[in-house]
Amino acid sequence: MRTQLAEFMRRMEPGSVAVIPAAPEATRSNDTHYRYRQDSDFYYLTGFDEPEAIAFVAPAHPERKFMLFVRPRDPEQETWTGRRAGVVGAKERHGADAAFPVTEFREKLAELLNGARTVYYRLGVHPDLDEALIKQLAEMRTRSRQFTAPDSITDPGAILGEMRLVKSDAEIELMQRAADIGAEAHVLAMQNVRPGMYEYEIEALIEYHFRKSGAAAPAYGTICGGGANATILHYITNDAPLRDGDLVLVDAGAEYQGYASDITRTFPVNGRFTAPQREIYEAVLAAQTACVEMVKPSVTWDDLNDRAARMLTESMLRLGLLEGDVDRLIEEKTYRRFFMHGVGHFLGLDVHDAGRYKLDGEPRPLDPGVVVTVEPGIYVAEDAEGVPDRYRGIGVRIEDDVLVTGDGHRVLTSKVPKGIEEIEKLMAH
Ligand code: GLY
Ligand code: MN
Ligand code: MN
């Protein structure tokens, strides 16, 4: 059995069962779909990559601890939409103790739930399944001589989130590969960008490298923002020309075998930073480097956010973006005018990965095996008021992926430079 599934079973309450559905397919328009992306929890537990599947987990069952309900083989359908494992493949290739066509799930549900004290199931994501489950529980309660219905529906996310947060060696290898592919793509972008190119050409170059390297897709919508577009945090339009003398902010990461990288670099379109760009860039780089250096077990998100806020506020004061008393500006979060997001997030199967940021209301210390991003930025809108002219329309973010190790950290994304000299040197060739 897959180790993740065995560990999940070990952590489930005694006498419980779990219903974990695959992600639904997503319509793009009319009758065309987005390329299928499996639900991260489902994929983590099963490694099964087909839609319309449900995993049923029953640790106390003598034989059928792991059942898969799947799309049955169907030569005609498979001609249109691709190969299916079917019930035989679900058992032989995916380790299910038993497998059935997914159409039989509802009729088997009462029997499956009977006698369990708790059912782990995430409500609110699959409305049809929510309704079927709730109706089934209600019906079982009215037929109490025949059935013993579970008392509670519990979200499995608490267990799965904690498991997914701490990466195994095998997961770290995949994340390193995702990070390498991402880093190589950023290097290509730096080497190939020229004034007059369009933002989408950089996007295309990056995503070409992802696919060519075996990554399934970008882990999120690639951001290529030239000039003031860099000050729009989720800019994915990417349709403007890149101008001589502007910076371009590229936030792009690959998804490799389910695992994300998430990298941002900001570099000059013509290969040379101007003085004002350099001033903002150095401020962000100093904060980013300091925060990366802090990453080790026992450090908390509050520690990292506080450090970034202090360093960036001090720089904003020095550059004339803010005025006043540094402690007060931090206290009142005035820096949020130019640094409006957090310093980072957990990274894994999801780009904003599972796992709690606080434990019992307290900041959570980072543990070995956790992967985080560190990504401070300064964004000065084109029409920002009361700021020196020279900084208007400059947006800089620098983002690395960092693994917490037993005694410190390892930067997974170090293959792409971030120092001004290194970037200018790379771009000069
Ligand atoms: N690219 C998404 C993020 O940086 O959080
Ligand atoms: Mn990020
Ligand atoms: Mn990012």
Side-chain angles (χ1 to χ4, degrees):
M1 182 184 294
R2 208 172 146 85
T3 41
Q4 292 92 321
L5 183 58
E7 178 62 18
F8 177 60
M9 286 191 191
R10 210 181 58 71
R11 295 192 193 198
M12 287 167 67
E13 277 176 37
S16 62
V17 296
V19 174
I20 313 282
E25 288 192 274
T27 303
R28 183 169 187 278
S29 76
N30 191 16
D31 59 350
T32 58
H33 290 137
Y34 285 104
R35 186 191 308 220
Y36 187 65
R37 167 54 158 82
Q38 188 55 278
D39 175 82
S40 295
D41 284 340
F42 184 90
Y43 186 71
Y44 181 77
L45 286 177
T46 68
F48 189 66
D49 209 13
E50 291 185 29
E52 295 183 72
I54 300 173
F56 186 81
V57 184
H61 197 283
E63 294 108 35
R64 295 175 168 185
K65 296 182 192 305
F66 170 42
M67 293 165 74
L68 271 176
F69 292 80
V70 300
R71 299 179 307 183
R73 297 292 313 268
D74 179 337
E76 196 189 320
Q77 280 297 318
E78 288 180 54
T79 303
W80 289 89
T81 56
R83 297 181 182 90
R84 299 174 172 189
V87 289
V88 175
K91 286 204 291 188
E92 289 181 354
R93 297 205 301 278
H94 298 281
D97 301 318
F100 300 95
V102 68
T103 45
E104 293 178 20
F105 181 73
R106 289 180 195 198
E107 68 204 47
K108 289 200 164 41
L109 194 52
E111 176 200 333
L112 292 171
L113 297 175
N114 191 23
R117 269 186 251 156
T118 297
V119 52
Y120 286 96
Y121 173 74
R122 171 155 286 186
L123 286 165
V125 182
H126 304 265
D128 290 353
L129 196 52
D130 290 359
E131 195 185 326
L133 183 73
I134 290 165
K135 272 194 178 152
Q136 190 61 77
L137 291 175
E139 192 190 318
M140 288 170 80
R141 287 179 190 127
T142 63
R143 294 164 64 190
S144 60
R145 279 174 300 257
Q146 197 182 344
F147 291 112
T148 309
D151 294 325
S152 60
I153 301 177
T154 300
D155 190 88
I159 297 179
L160 287 168
E162 290 308 294
M163 287 176 62
R164 282 174 50 191
L165 187 59
V166 179
K167 275 70 180 173
S168 67
D169 289 347
E171 289 180 291
I172 291 166
E173 253 180 62
L174 295 176
M175 292 198 69
Q176 182 63 68
R177 182 76 191 120
D180 285 346
I181 296 169
E184 289 156 12
H186 278 262
V187 168
L188 274 177
M190 288 179 185
Q191 287 172 326
N192 287 283
V193 69
R194 297 284 179 275
M197 283 173 81
Y198 280 75
E199 292 163 341
Y200 52 71
E201 294 181 68
I202 300 303
E203 173 190 335
L205 185 67
I206 282 174
E207 296 189 3
Y208 168 73
H209 185 74
F210 289 174
R211 288 298 281 149
K212 180 171 170 289
S213 310
Y220 52 89
T222 296
I223 296 170
C224 288
N229 292 338
T231 66
I232 303 167
L233 296 179
H234 291 160
Y235 176 83
I236 53 171
T237 327
N238 303 347
D239 64 355
L242 293 164
R243 292 184 317 203
D244 201 355
D246 277 352
L247 293 175
V248 57
L249 182 153
V250 178
D251 184 347
E255 182 177 293
Y256 185 75
Q257 295 193 19
Y259 289 85
S261 58
D262 181 7
I263 308 175
T264 307
R265 289 294 184 267
T266 311
F267 45 94
V269 171
N270 66 13
R272 300 279 301 172
F273 285 83
T274 65
Q277 290 166 354
R278 190 177 281 261
E279 286 152 24
I280 301 274
Y281 192 92
E282 276 170 352
V284 176
L285 182 62
Q288 204 263 357
T289 311
C291 290
V292 168
E293 283 310 312
M294 284 174 72
V295 174
K296 63 170 195 217
S298 85
V299 158
T300 69
W301 283 110
D302 283 9
D303 298 333
L304 295 169
N305 276 307
D306 289 352
R307 184 69 186 271
R310 176 160 294 274
M311 287 188 71
L312 291 174
T313 301
E314 284 169 0
S315 293
M316 288 170 197
L317 275 168
R318 201 180 59 251
L319 298 174
L321 290 168
L322 293 179
E323 280 173 20
D325 172 65
V326 65
D327 291 321
R328 182 133 184 220
L329 292 168
I330 293 169
E331 171 92 23
E332 293 177 354
K333 299 191 192 304
T334 317
Y335 58 84
R336 285 204 157 262
R337 226 186 123 195
F338 306 109
F339 170 46
M340 49 294 266
H341 54 77
V343 76
H345 50 84
F346 298 129
L347 184 71
L349 285 167
D350 288 306
V351 65
H352 297 156
D353 206 32
R356 293 208 172 99
Y357 285 76
K358 290 198 185 278
L359 290 180
D360 298 327
E362 295 296 318
R364 143 177 239 152
L366 298 179
D367 287 315
V370 170
V371 180
V372 299
T373 68
V374 178
E375 50 176 307
I378 294 181
Y379 315 91
V380 187
E382 260 173 318
D383 55 359
E385 282 173 19
V387 302
D389 254 356
R390 59 203 260 108
Y391 299 132
R392 287 214 178 93
I394 295 180
V396 172
R397 176 165 66 254
I398 305 169
E399 176 174 31
D400 282 309
D401 303 344
V402 185
L403 166 71
V404 184
T405 60
D407 57 358
H409 65 268
R410 190 172 102 209
V411 179
L412 302 180
T413 45
S414 55
K415 277 195 179 171
V416 53
K418 60 184 175 184
I420 286 184
E421 277 184 21
E422 295 162 271
I423 291 176
E424 288 189 343
K425 200 167 145 207
L426 177 70
M427 294 185 73
H429 290 289

